[in-house]
Structures are given as structure tokens and as C-alpha cells.
Amino acid sequence: MRWYLLREMPTGSDASYTPERFLTRYDELSNVLGNLASRVTSMITRYRDGALPDAAGRGLAAETRETLRRYRGFMDDLRLHRALAEAMELARRANRYVEEREPWAQARDPERAPDLDETLVSLARCLAVLTALLEPVMPAKMGVLAGTLGLARVPTLDRALDAPLARRAVTRGQPLFPRVRLPSA
């Protein structure tokens, strides 16, 4: 509910609610963020036996730093809906990164093991940053996501880029945002 209200309704402006719009925003969480979390934790579990490798994880660093900069600016201006849009765009970018890097192909070639490690840690770092960005809106869900990454708590915005991830135990867990099925008419 908080996601919908803050993402859909700009601060200080009139807004209207429709059940269809609510479901659209929920689907955004499920299909973008939930899908990313599921993909990343599944790949770490499958390809690295649930242990985050010791790699730099800087594959999405520039995009993540820029997202943090814009997010902070929008939050300072009380444009929460825009800050949340920035966070969701980072999740979309991370999903594209999965497609570009093709970790399933990296996993099949033992010589590409360092590339796979870099891909997995880059994605895990991105998820850690997303937990910090979205914790004000979804504290319980972001706590769960941080836990699946082996973190004791959601990192602060200042620490999210540098949170120690090497050798953390990653678990799959349940879907963060299960798909909603509406009853047939």
C-alpha cells in the first residue's frame, strides 16, 4: 500500500485511486524487483552453492552511483514518487544486465568463472543498494531481501555500495511479491 501511495501520488498533488492502477503498481514490484531478487538469489544458489564469491562487483557501479545521487536529490525535494521511480529504474537496469551478461552461459564455461563471479556480485550489490533505497517504503520486505543476501540488516544509503558481501550465505526464500491472480468473471 505504501508503495502505491508514494509511487503513484506525487506529494502535494491531488490523486485518484483505481484498483487497476493499484494492481499495475503491484505488478511492477512483482515483475521487476521480485523477479530480479528471485533470479539473482537462484543463480547464486545454483552456480556458487549459495556463497557470494569474492569479486569486486562493480558491473553496475556507475548506474548505481548515479541512481543514488538522483534518489537523494528527489528525496531532498520531497519528490518521493520520482525517487522511487529511480530505484525501480535501477532494478530494471539490473534485469537488463542479467540478459546482457548471460550468467547461464558464463556458468557453462569454467574459463569464464571470474566473469560469472563479477556478474553475481554486481547483481547482489545492486540488490543491497535497492534494499536501502526502498526500505523507507517497504521496511519488512527489504529486511527479508537483505536477509536472503546474508546481511544482518538493510545497509544505510551511505554503506550500501560498500556493504561487505564476499562469502555471504545467500538463500532463495519465498517470492517477495507473489503474483496476484484475480478471480475470473
Side-chain angles (χ1 to χ4, degrees), residues 21-166:
R21 204 62 203 143
F22 181 86
L23 286 175
T24 297
R25 286 296 174 204
Y26 182 84
D27 285 346
E28 177 180 48
L29 287 174
S30 179
N31 296 334
V32 178
L33 181 59
N35 183 50
L36 176 65
S38 178
R39 292 172 95 182
V40 172
T41 57
S42 293
M43 289 186 291
I44 294 167
T45 301
R46 181 175 181 187
Y47 302 138
R48 293 296 180 255
D49 295 322
L52 269 166
D54 192 0
R58 298 294 179 202
L60 292 162
E63 295 94 332
T64 304
R65 276 193 299 278
E66 183 59 22
T67 296
L68 282 165
R69 185 190 67 73
R70 288 191 308 256
Y71 176 93
R72 284 185 169 116
F74 287 132
M75 289 298 251
D76 289 345
D77 292 342
L78 301 178
R79 296 168 63 193
L80 280 62
H81 66 291
R82 294 289 308 273
L84 297 175
E86 289 294 329
M88 194 53 63
E89 187 51 41
L90 180 60
R92 284 185 179 89
R93 174 62 187 109
N95 275 309
R96 287 190 305 270
Y97 183 78
V98 172
E99 299 304 318
E100 292 164 6
R101 297 283 292 187
E102 298 181 337
W104 49 89
Q106 293 171 336
R108 284 192 298 265
D109 184 353
E111 291 182 19
R112 296 181 69 193
D115 293 335
L116 177 60
D117 290 347
E118 180 63 21
T119 299
L120 296 176
V121 174
S122 294
L123 290 164
R125 178 143 330 272
C126 184
L127 281 176
V129 169
L130 285 165
T131 66
L133 294 172
L134 297 172
E135 183 186 33
V137 180
M138 298 176 278
K141 290 288 186 179
M142 293 306 101
V144 168
L145 181 53
T148 64
L149 295 173
L151 299 171
R153 67 187 62 80
V154 173
T156 64
L157 283 177
D158 291 333
R159 299 285 307 149
L161 270 175
D162 300 318
L165 295 175

